[in-house]
PDB file of all heavy atoms in Angstrom:
ATOM      1  N   LEU A   1     144.759 259.915 280.978  1.00  0.00           N
ATOM      2  CA  LEU A   1     143.688 259.166 281.634  1.00  0.00           C
ATOM      3  C   LEU A   1     142.463 259.146 280.733  1.00  0.00           C
ATOM      4  O   LEU A   1     142.073 260.172 280.173  1.00  0.00           O
ATOM      5  CB  LEU A   1     143.326 259.796 282.969  1.00  0.00           C
ATOM      6  CG  LEU A   1     144.149 259.421 284.212  1.00  0.00           C
ATOM      7  CD1 LEU A   1     143.839 258.003 284.660  1.00  0.00           C
ATOM      8  CD2 LEU A   1     145.647 259.607 283.994  1.00  0.00           C
ATOM      9  N   ALA A   2     141.843 257.975 280.599  1.00  0.00           N
ATOM     10  CA  ALA A   2     140.689 257.798 279.724  1.00  0.00           C
ATOM     11  C   ALA A   2     139.598 257.021 280.429  1.00  0.00           C
ATOM     12  O   ALA A   2     139.864 256.226 281.332  1.00  0.00           O
ATOM     13  CB  ALA A   2     141.102 257.058 278.439  1.00  0.00           C
ATOM     14  N   SER A   3     138.373 257.250 280.002  1.00  0.00           N
ATOM     15  CA  SER A   3     137.244 256.419 280.438  1.00  0.00           C
ATOM     16  C   SER A   3     136.217 256.443 279.322  1.00  0.00           C
ATOM     17  O   SER A   3     135.992 257.476 278.705  1.00  0.00           O
ATOM     18  CB  SER A   3     136.624 256.950 281.734  1.00  0.00           C
ATOM     19  OG  SER A   3     136.060 258.226 281.535  1.00  0.00           O
ATOM     20  N   GLY A   4     135.636 255.316 279.045  1.00  0.00           N
ATOM     21  CA  GLY A   4     134.647 255.285 277.992  1.00  0.00           C
ATOM     22  C   GLY A   4     133.425 256.120 278.328  1.00  0.00           C
ATOM     23  O   GLY A   4     132.785 256.685 277.456  1.00  0.00           O
ATOM     24  N   LYS A   5     133.088 256.218 279.607  1.00  0.00           N
ATOM     25  CA  LYS A   5     131.916 256.963 280.036  1.00  0.00           C
ATOM     26  C   LYS A   5     132.272 257.853 281.216  1.00  0.00           C
ATOM     27  O   LYS A   5     133.298 257.658 281.867  1.00  0.00           O
ATOM     28  CB  LYS A   5     130.770 256.015 280.437  1.00  0.00           C
ATOM     29  CG  LYS A   5     131.068 255.196 281.680  1.00  0.00           C
ATOM     30  CD  LYS A   5     129.963 254.179 281.965  1.00  0.00           C
ATOM     31  CE  LYS A   5     128.689 254.833 282.424  1.00  0.00           C
ATOM     32  NZ  LYS A   5     128.792 255.408 283.784  1.00  0.00           N
ATOM     33  N   GLY A   6     131.423 258.824 281.507  1.00  0.00           N
ATOM     34  CA  GLY A   6     131.618 259.661 282.665  1.00  0.00           C
ATOM     35  C   GLY A   6     131.176 258.950 283.934  1.00  0.00           C
ATOM     36  O   GLY A   6     130.526 257.909 283.899  1.00  0.00           O
ATOM     37  N   GLY A   7     131.569 259.521 285.074  1.00  0.00           N
ATOM     38  CA  GLY A   7     131.109 258.992 286.343  1.00  0.00           C
ATOM     39  C   GLY A   7     131.862 257.797 286.881  1.00  0.00           C
ATOM     40  O   GLY A   7     131.408 257.154 287.831  1.00  0.00           O
ATOM     41  N   VAL A   8     133.016 257.471 286.301  1.00  0.00           N
ATOM     42  CA  VAL A   8     133.781 256.312 286.788  1.00  0.00           C
ATOM     43  C   VAL A   8     135.001 256.739 287.594  1.00  0.00           C
ATOM     44  O   VAL A   8     135.798 255.895 288.013  1.00  0.00           O
ATOM     45  CB  VAL A   8     134.206 255.386 285.621  1.00  0.00           C
ATOM     46  CG1 VAL A   8     132.987 254.853 284.895  1.00  0.00           C
ATOM     47  CG2 VAL A   8     135.156 256.091 284.668  1.00  0.00           C
ATOM     48  N   GLY A   9     135.174 258.053 287.810  1.00  0.00           N
ATOM     49  CA  GLY A   9     136.257 258.529 288.659  1.00  0.00           C
ATOM     50  C   GLY A   9     137.517 258.943 287.939  1.00  0.00           C
ATOM     51  O   GLY A   9     138.570 259.096 288.568  1.00  0.00           O
ATOM     52  N   LYS A  10     137.441 259.175 286.620  1.00  0.00           N
ATOM     53  CA  LYS A  10     138.645 259.494 285.843  1.00  0.00           C
ATOM     54  C   LYS A  10     139.349 260.756 286.328  1.00  0.00           C
ATOM     55  O   LYS A  10     140.570 260.740 286.558  1.00  0.00           O
ATOM     56  CB  LYS A  10     138.284 259.634 284.366  1.00  0.00           C
ATOM     57  CG  LYS A  10     139.422 260.162 283.483  1.00  0.00           C
ATOM     58  CD  LYS A  10     138.967 260.411 282.074  1.00  0.00           C
ATOM     59  CE  LYS A  10     137.858 261.420 281.995  1.00  0.00           C
ATOM     60  NZ  LYS A  10     138.271 262.776 282.458  1.00  0.00           N
ATOM     61  N   THR A  11     138.611 261.852 286.466  1.00  0.00           N
ATOM     62  CA  THR A  11     139.251 263.105 286.857  1.00  0.00           C
ATOM     63  C   THR A  11     139.784 263.038 288.279  1.00  0.00           C
ATOM     64  O   THR A  11     140.877 263.524 288.574  1.00  0.00           O
ATOM     65  CB  THR A  11     138.275 264.285 286.705  1.00  0.00           C
ATOM     66  OG1 THR A  11     137.942 264.441 285.324  1.00  0.00           O
ATOM     67  CG2 THR A  11     138.891 265.584 287.209  1.00  0.00           C
ATOM     68  N   SER A  12     139.027 262.419 289.174  1.00  0.00           N
ATOM     69  CA  SER A  12     139.494 262.272 290.552  1.00  0.00           C
ATOM     70  C   SER A  12     140.789 261.471 290.607  1.00  0.00           C
ATOM     71  O   SER A  12     141.720 261.809 291.353  1.00  0.00           O
ATOM     72  CB  SER A  12     138.410 261.597 291.400  1.00  0.00           C
ATOM     73  OG  SER A  12     138.803 261.541 292.752  1.00  0.00           O
ATOM     74  N   ILE A  13     140.880 260.416 289.803  1.00  0.00           N
ATOM     75  CA  ILE A  13     142.108 259.621 289.760  1.00  0.00           C
ATOM     76  C   ILE A  13     143.233 260.434 289.132  1.00  0.00           C
ATOM     77  O   ILE A  13     144.374 260.409 289.611  1.00  0.00           O
ATOM     78  CB  ILE A  13     141.878 258.308 289.003  1.00  0.00           C
ATOM     79  CG1 ILE A  13     140.943 257.399 289.799  1.00  0.00           C
ATOM     80  CG2 ILE A  13     143.206 257.591 288.736  1.00  0.00           C
ATOM     81  CD1 ILE A  13     140.553 256.124 289.081  1.00  0.00           C
ATOM     82  N   SER A  14     142.936 261.190 288.076  1.00  0.00           N
ATOM     83  CA  SER A  14     143.956 262.028 287.440  1.00  0.00           C
ATOM     84  C   SER A  14     144.576 262.975 288.451  1.00  0.00           C
ATOM     85  O   SER A  14     145.807 263.099 288.557  1.00  0.00           O
ATOM     86  CB  SER A  14     143.343 262.838 286.292  1.00  0.00           C
ATOM     87  OG  SER A  14     142.829 262.019 285.270  1.00  0.00           O
ATOM     88  N   VAL A  15     143.716 263.671 289.199  1.00  0.00           N
ATOM     89  CA  VAL A  15     144.181 264.664 290.169  1.00  0.00           C
ATOM     90  C   VAL A  15     144.986 263.998 291.279  1.00  0.00           C
ATOM     91  O   VAL A  15     146.114 264.416 291.604  1.00  0.00           O
ATOM     92  CB  VAL A  15     142.982 265.439 290.753  1.00  0.00           C
ATOM     93  CG1 VAL A  15     143.401 266.260 291.969  1.00  0.00           C
ATOM     94  CG2 VAL A  15     142.364 266.337 289.688  1.00  0.00           C
ATOM     95  N   ASN A  16     144.419 262.961 291.877  1.00  0.00           N
ATOM     96  CA  ASN A  16     145.083 262.315 293.007  1.00  0.00           C
ATOM     97  C   ASN A  16     146.363 261.604 292.598  1.00  0.00           C
ATOM     98  O   ASN A  16     147.347 261.605 293.346  1.00  0.00           O
ATOM     99  CB  ASN A  16     144.116 261.336 293.677  1.00  0.00           C
ATOM    100  CG  ASN A  16     143.143 262.021 294.609  1.00  0.00           C
ATOM    101  OD1 ASN A  16     143.474 262.375 295.730  1.00  0.00           O
ATOM    102  ND2 ASN A  16     141.921 262.232 294.122  1.00  0.00           N
ATOM    103  N   LEU A  17     146.366 261.007 291.419  1.00  0.00           N
ATOM    104  CA  LEU A  17     147.568 260.329 290.942  1.00  0.00           C
ATOM    105  C   LEU A  17     148.675 261.353 290.688  1.00  0.00           C
ATOM    106  O   LEU A  17     149.845 261.108 291.029  1.00  0.00           O
ATOM    107  CB  LEU A  17     147.254 259.543 289.669  1.00  0.00           C
ATOM    108  CG  LEU A  17     148.380 258.682 289.091  1.00  0.00           C
ATOM    109  CD1 LEU A  17     148.856 257.655 290.104  1.00  0.00           C
ATOM    110  CD2 LEU A  17     147.901 257.990 287.814  1.00  0.00           C
ATOM    111  N   ALA A  18     148.316 262.492 290.105  1.00  0.00           N
ATOM    112  CA  ALA A  18     149.314 263.542 289.856  1.00  0.00           C
ATOM    113  C   ALA A  18     149.893 264.058 291.163  1.00  0.00           C
ATOM    114  O   ALA A  18     151.114 264.253 291.281  1.00  0.00           O
ATOM    115  CB  ALA A  18     148.678 264.679 289.056  1.00  0.00           C
ATOM    116  N   VAL A  19     149.040 264.295 292.162  1.00  0.00           N
ATOM    117  CA  VAL A  19     149.523 264.763 293.469  1.00  0.00           C
ATOM    118  C   VAL A  19     150.399 263.698 294.123  1.00  0.00           C
ATOM    119  O   VAL A  19     151.462 263.996 294.683  1.00  0.00           O
ATOM    120  CB  VAL A  19     148.345 265.146 294.388  1.00  0.00           C
ATOM    121  CG1 VAL A  19     148.844 265.460 295.792  1.00  0.00           C
ATOM    122  CG2 VAL A  19     147.592 266.341 293.825  1.00  0.00           C
ATOM    123  N   ALA A  20     149.967 262.435 294.055  1.00  0.00           N
ATOM    124  CA  ALA A  20     150.748 261.346 294.655  1.00  0.00           C
ATOM    125  C   ALA A  20     152.117 261.226 293.997  1.00  0.00           C
ATOM    126  O   ALA A  20     153.127 261.001 294.686  1.00  0.00           O
ATOM    127  CB  ALA A  20     149.976 260.037 294.542  1.00  0.00           C
ATOM    128  N   LEU A  21     152.177 261.374 292.676  1.00  0.00           N
ATOM    129  CA  LEU A  21     153.467 261.336 291.982  1.00  0.00           C
ATOM    130  C   LEU A  21     154.370 262.474 292.446  1.00  0.00           C
ATOM    131  O   LEU A  21     155.563 262.278 292.704  1.00  0.00           O
ATOM    132  CB  LEU A  21     153.259 261.423 290.470  1.00  0.00           C
ATOM    133  CG  LEU A  21     152.775 260.162 289.766  1.00  0.00           C
ATOM    134  CD1 LEU A  21     152.309 260.493 288.348  1.00  0.00           C
ATOM    135  CD2 LEU A  21     153.871 259.099 289.719  1.00  0.00           C
ATOM    136  N   ALA A  22     153.789 263.677 292.556  1.00  0.00           N
ATOM    137  CA  ALA A  22     154.568 264.834 293.013  1.00  0.00           C
ATOM    138  C   ALA A  22     155.103 264.594 294.418  1.00  0.00           C
ATOM    139  O   ALA A  22     156.250 264.927 294.734  1.00  0.00           O
ATOM    140  CB  ALA A  22     153.712 266.099 292.960  1.00  0.00           C
ATOM    141  N   ARG A  23     154.285 263.986 295.273  1.00  0.00           N
ATOM    142  CA  ARG A  23     154.712 263.699 296.645  1.00  0.00           C
ATOM    143  C   ARG A  23     155.792 262.623 296.694  1.00  0.00           C
ATOM    144  O   ARG A  23     156.546 262.556 297.674  1.00  0.00           O
ATOM    145  CB  ARG A  23     153.509 263.270 297.476  1.00  0.00           C
ATOM    146  CG  ARG A  23     152.544 264.409 297.769  1.00  0.00           C
ATOM    147  CD  ARG A  23     151.444 263.975 298.709  1.00  0.00           C
ATOM    148  NE  ARG A  23     150.842 265.113 299.371  1.00  0.00           N
ATOM    149  CZ  ARG A  23     150.129 265.049 300.485  1.00  0.00           C
ATOM    150  NH1 ARG A  23     149.928 263.878 301.068  1.00  0.00           N
ATOM    151  NH2 ARG A  23     149.628 266.134 301.017  1.00  0.00           N
ATOM    152  N   GLU A  24     155.844 261.786 295.645  1.00  0.00           N
ATOM    153  CA  GLU A  24     156.880 260.761 295.563  1.00  0.00           C
ATOM    154  C   GLU A  24     158.183 261.325 294.999  1.00  0.00           C
ATOM    155  O   GLU A  24     159.165 260.594 294.820  1.00  0.00           O
ATOM    156  CB  GLU A  24     156.417 259.605 294.669  1.00  0.00           C
ATOM    157  CG  GLU A  24     155.333 258.724 295.281  1.00  0.00           C
ATOM    158  CD  GLU A  24     155.891 257.788 296.330  1.00  0.00           C
ATOM    159  OE1 GLU A  24     157.060 257.408 296.231  1.00  0.00           O
ATOM    160  OE2 GLU A  24     155.147 257.451 297.267  1.00  0.00           O
ATOM    161  N   GLY A  25     158.192 262.617 294.718  1.00  0.00           N
ATOM    162  CA  GLY A  25     159.393 263.247 294.184  1.00  0.00           C
ATOM    163  C   GLY A  25     159.463 263.277 292.667  1.00  0.00           C
ATOM    164  O   GLY A  25     160.480 263.694 292.097  1.00  0.00           O
ATOM    165  N   GLN A  26     158.385 262.829 292.011  1.00  0.00           N
ATOM    166  CA  GLN A  26     158.334 262.880 290.551  1.00  0.00           C
ATOM    167  C   GLN A  26     157.888 264.285 290.115  1.00  0.00           C
ATOM    168  O   GLN A  26     156.874 264.793 290.582  1.00  0.00           O
ATOM    169  CB  GLN A  26     157.349 261.846 290.011  1.00  0.00           C
ATOM    170  CG  GLN A  26     157.667 260.414 290.385  1.00  0.00           C
ATOM    171  CD  GLN A  26     158.894 259.876 289.677  1.00  0.00           C
ATOM    172  OE1 GLN A  26     159.242 260.323 288.587  1.00  0.00           O
ATOM    173  NE2 GLN A  26     159.561 258.918 290.294  1.00  0.00           N
ATOM    174  N   ARG A  27     158.646 264.898 289.252  1.00  0.00           N
ATOM    175  CA  ARG A  27     158.304 266.240 288.763  1.00  0.00           C
ATOM    176  C   ARG A  27     157.128 266.082 287.790  1.00  0.00           C
ATOM    177  O   ARG A  27     157.288 265.540 286.703  1.00  0.00           O
ATOM    178  CB  ARG A  27     159.506 266.873 288.082  1.00  0.00           C
ATOM    179  CG  ARG A  27     160.711 267.049 289.014  1.00  0.00           C
ATOM    180  CD  ARG A  27     161.962 267.413 288.247  1.00  0.00           C
ATOM    181  NE  ARG A  27     162.321 266.372 287.290  1.00  0.00           N
ATOM    182  CZ  ARG A  27     163.307 266.481 286.395  1.00  0.00           C
ATOM    183  NH1 ARG A  27     164.045 267.575 286.349  1.00  0.00           N
ATOM    184  NH2 ARG A  27     163.563 265.498 285.555  1.00  0.00           N
ATOM    185  N   THR A  28     155.973 266.576 288.215  1.00  0.00           N
ATOM    186  CA  THR A  28     154.718 266.222 287.549  1.00  0.00           C
ATOM    187  C   THR A  28     153.924 267.455 287.163  1.00  0.00           C
ATOM    188  O   THR A  28     153.838 268.416 287.924  1.00  0.00           O
ATOM    189  CB  THR A  28     153.857 265.336 288.473  1.00  0.00           C
ATOM    190  OG1 THR A  28     154.633 264.207 288.902  1.00  0.00           O
ATOM    191  CG2 THR A  28     152.608 264.845 287.757  1.00  0.00           C
ATOM    192  N   MET A  29     153.314 267.384 285.981  1.00  0.00           N
ATOM    193  CA  MET A  29     152.410 268.426 285.504  1.00  0.00           C
ATOM    194  C   MET A  29     151.079 267.777 285.143  1.00  0.00           C
ATOM    195  O   MET A  29     151.050 266.711 284.514  1.00  0.00           O
ATOM    196  CB  MET A  29     152.983 269.128 284.280  1.00  0.00           C
ATOM    197  CG  MET A  29     152.149 270.293 283.769  1.00  0.00           C
ATOM    198  SD  MET A  29     153.013 271.159 282.427  1.00  0.00           S
ATOM    199  CE  MET A  29     151.973 272.602 282.251  1.00  0.00           C
ATOM    200  N   LEU A  30     149.984 268.387 285.561  1.00  0.00           N
ATOM    201  CA  LEU A  30     148.641 267.920 285.230  1.00  0.00           C
ATOM    202  C   LEU A  30     148.037 268.879 284.221  1.00  0.00           C
ATOM    203  O   LEU A  30     147.919 270.077 284.489  1.00  0.00           O
ATOM    204  CB  LEU A  30     147.775 267.860 286.488  1.00  0.00           C
ATOM    205  CG  LEU A  30     146.292 267.521 286.305  1.00  0.00           C
ATOM    206  CD1 LEU A  30     146.114 266.140 285.685  1.00  0.00           C
ATOM    207  CD2 LEU A  30     145.561 267.598 287.645  1.00  0.00           C
ATOM    208  N   VAL A  31     147.669 268.362 283.054  1.00  0.00           N
ATOM    209  CA  VAL A  31     147.066 269.169 281.996  1.00  0.00           C
ATOM    210  C   VAL A  31     145.608 268.761 281.851  1.00  0.00           C
ATOM    211  O   VAL A  31     145.317 267.602 281.536  1.00  0.00           O
ATOM    212  CB  VAL A  31     147.812 268.988 280.651  1.00  0.00           C
ATOM    213  CG1 VAL A  31     147.157 269.831 279.560  1.00  0.00           C
ATOM    214  CG2 VAL A  31     149.283 269.366 280.806  1.00  0.00           C
ATOM    215  N   ASP A  32     144.707 269.700 282.105  1.00  0.00           N
ATOM    216  CA  ASP A  32     143.274 269.416 282.046  1.00  0.00           C
ATOM    217  C   ASP A  32     142.749 269.759 280.661  1.00  0.00           C
ATOM    218  O   ASP A  32     142.534 270.924 280.338  1.00  0.00           O
ATOM    219  CB  ASP A  32     142.542 270.223 283.117  1.00  0.00           C
ATOM    220  CG  ASP A  32     141.071 269.835 283.241  1.00  0.00           C
ATOM    221  OD1 ASP A  32     140.588 269.035 282.413  1.00  0.00           O
ATOM    222  OD2 ASP A  32     140.406 270.328 284.171  1.00  0.00           O
ATOM    223  N   THR A  33     142.547 268.728 279.842  1.00  0.00           N
ATOM    224  CA  THR A  33     141.993 268.932 278.498  1.00  0.00           C
ATOM    225  C   THR A  33     140.528 268.538 278.427  1.00  0.00           C
ATOM    226  O   THR A  33     139.968 268.443 277.335  1.00  0.00           O
ATOM    227  CB  THR A  33     142.786 268.125 277.441  1.00  0.00           C
ATOM    228  OG1 THR A  33     142.604 266.724 277.683  1.00  0.00           O
ATOM    229  CG2 THR A  33     144.255 268.470 277.474  1.00  0.00           C
ATOM    230  N   ASP A  34     139.911 268.302 279.598  1.00  0.00           N
ATOM    231  CA  ASP A  34     138.491 267.944 279.629  1.00  0.00           C
ATOM    232  C   ASP A  34     137.668 269.225 279.494  1.00  0.00           C
ATOM    233  O   ASP A  34     137.142 269.768 280.467  1.00  0.00           O
ATOM    234  CB  ASP A  34     138.151 267.223 280.937  1.00  0.00           C
ATOM    235  CG  ASP A  34     136.774 266.583 280.907  1.00  0.00           C
ATOM    236  OD1 ASP A  34     135.995 266.900 279.982  1.00  0.00           O
ATOM    237  OD2 ASP A  34     136.475 265.767 281.787  1.00  0.00           O
ATOM    238  N   PHE A  35     137.573 269.722 278.254  1.00  0.00           N
ATOM    239  CA  PHE A  35     136.976 271.027 278.015  1.00  0.00           C
ATOM    240  C   PHE A  35     135.491 271.071 278.355  1.00  0.00           C
ATOM    241  O   PHE A  35     134.927 272.133 278.558  1.00  0.00           O
ATOM    242  CB  PHE A  35     137.183 271.435 276.551  1.00  0.00           C
ATOM    243  CG  PHE A  35     138.622 271.479 276.144  1.00  0.00           C
ATOM    244  CD1 PHE A  35     139.085 270.681 275.105  1.00  0.00           C
ATOM    245  CD2 PHE A  35     139.518 272.290 276.803  1.00  0.00           C
ATOM    246  CE1 PHE A  35     140.420 270.710 274.724  1.00  0.00           C
ATOM    247  CE2 PHE A  35     140.857 272.324 276.436  1.00  0.00           C
ATOM    248  CZ  PHE A  35     141.307 271.536 275.394  1.00  0.00           C
ATOM    249  N   GLY A  36     134.852 269.929 278.412  1.00  0.00           N
ATOM    250  CA  GLY A  36     133.436 269.934 278.733  1.00  0.00           C
ATOM    251  C   GLY A  36     133.159 270.276 280.185  1.00  0.00           C
ATOM    252  O   GLY A  36     132.186 270.952 280.502  1.00  0.00           O
ATOM    253  N   LEU A  37     134.046 269.822 281.115  1.00  0.00           N
ATOM    254  CA  LEU A  37     133.794 270.015 282.543  1.00  0.00           C
ATOM    255  C   LEU A  37     134.923 270.759 283.251  1.00  0.00           C
ATOM    256  O   LEU A  37     134.671 271.622 284.078  1.00  0.00           O
ATOM    257  CB  LEU A  37     133.565 268.658 283.219  1.00  0.00           C
ATOM    258  CG  LEU A  37     132.347 267.876 282.718  1.00  0.00           C
ATOM    259  CD1 LEU A  37     132.319 266.495 283.350  1.00  0.00           C
ATOM    260  CD2 LEU A  37     131.064 268.629 283.032  1.00  0.00           C
ATOM    261  N   ALA A  38     136.172 270.406 282.957  1.00  0.00           N
ATOM    262  CA  ALA A  38     137.324 271.108 283.518  1.00  0.00           C
ATOM    263  C   ALA A  38     137.261 271.178 285.043  1.00  0.00           C
ATOM    264  O   ALA A  38     137.281 272.255 285.635  1.00  0.00           O
ATOM    265  CB  ALA A  38     137.425 272.515 282.914  1.00  0.00           C
ATOM    266  N   ASN A  39     137.207 270.015 285.695  1.00  0.00           N
ATOM    267  CA  ASN A  39     137.025 269.963 287.141  1.00  0.00           C
ATOM    268  C   ASN A  39     138.311 269.763 287.935  1.00  0.00           C
ATOM    269  O   ASN A  39     138.261 269.746 289.171  1.00  0.00           O
ATOM    270  CB  ASN A  39     136.063 268.828 287.499  1.00  0.00           C
ATOM    271  CG  ASN A  39     134.617 269.200 287.236  1.00  0.00           C
ATOM    272  OD1 ASN A  39     134.242 270.363 287.336  1.00  0.00           O
ATOM    273  ND2 ASN A  39     133.809 268.215 286.896  1.00  0.00           N
ATOM    274  N   ALA A  40     139.446 269.620 287.280  1.00  0.00           N
ATOM    275  CA  ALA A  40     140.675 269.316 288.019  1.00  0.00           C
ATOM    276  C   ALA A  40     141.012 270.409 289.025  1.00  0.00           C
ATOM    277  O   ALA A  40     141.379 270.127 290.171  1.00  0.00           O
ATOM    278  CB  ALA A  40     141.834 269.103 287.049  1.00  0.00           C
ATOM    279  N   ALA A  41     140.898 271.672 288.620  1.00  0.00           N
ATOM    280  CA  ALA A  41     141.217 272.778 289.530  1.00  0.00           C
ATOM    281  C   ALA A  41     140.282 272.781 290.730  1.00  0.00           C
ATOM    282  O   ALA A  41     140.701 273.033 291.866  1.00  0.00           O
ATOM    283  CB  ALA A  41     141.145 274.112 288.788  1.00  0.00           C
ATOM    284  N   VAL A  42     138.995 272.485 290.492  1.00  0.00           N
ATOM    285  CA  VAL A  42     138.021 272.447 291.585  1.00  0.00           C
ATOM    286  C   VAL A  42     138.416 271.374 292.594  1.00  0.00           C
ATOM    287  O   VAL A  42     138.375 271.600 293.812  1.00  0.00           O
ATOM    288  CB  VAL A  42     136.608 272.185 291.039  1.00  0.00           C
ATOM    289  CG1 VAL A  42     135.617 272.029 292.176  1.00  0.00           C
ATOM    290  CG2 VAL A  42     136.180 273.303 290.108  1.00  0.00           C
ATOM    291  N   MET A  43     138.815 270.194 292.102  1.00  0.00           N
ATOM    292  CA  MET A  43     139.190 269.106 293.003  1.00  0.00           C
ATOM    293  C   MET A  43     140.481 269.396 293.761  1.00  0.00           C
ATOM    294  O   MET A  43     140.727 268.831 294.819  1.00  0.00           O
ATOM    295  CB  MET A  43     139.322 267.798 292.219  1.00  0.00           C
ATOM    296  CG  MET A  43     138.008 267.282 291.690  1.00  0.00           C
ATOM    297  SD  MET A  43     138.192 265.665 290.901  1.00  0.00           S
ATOM    298  CE  MET A  43     136.512 265.379 290.333  1.00  0.00           C
TER     299      MET A  43
END
């Protein structure tokens, strides 16, 4: 997932999309490489 700027919902979409895929039966792993903020676990 990419965004040219912050504040456009990238991490929220990353988290929710990963959960939605897992719920669809897709074996999914979310890797948080956003070292500046690292908010995936919080969400």
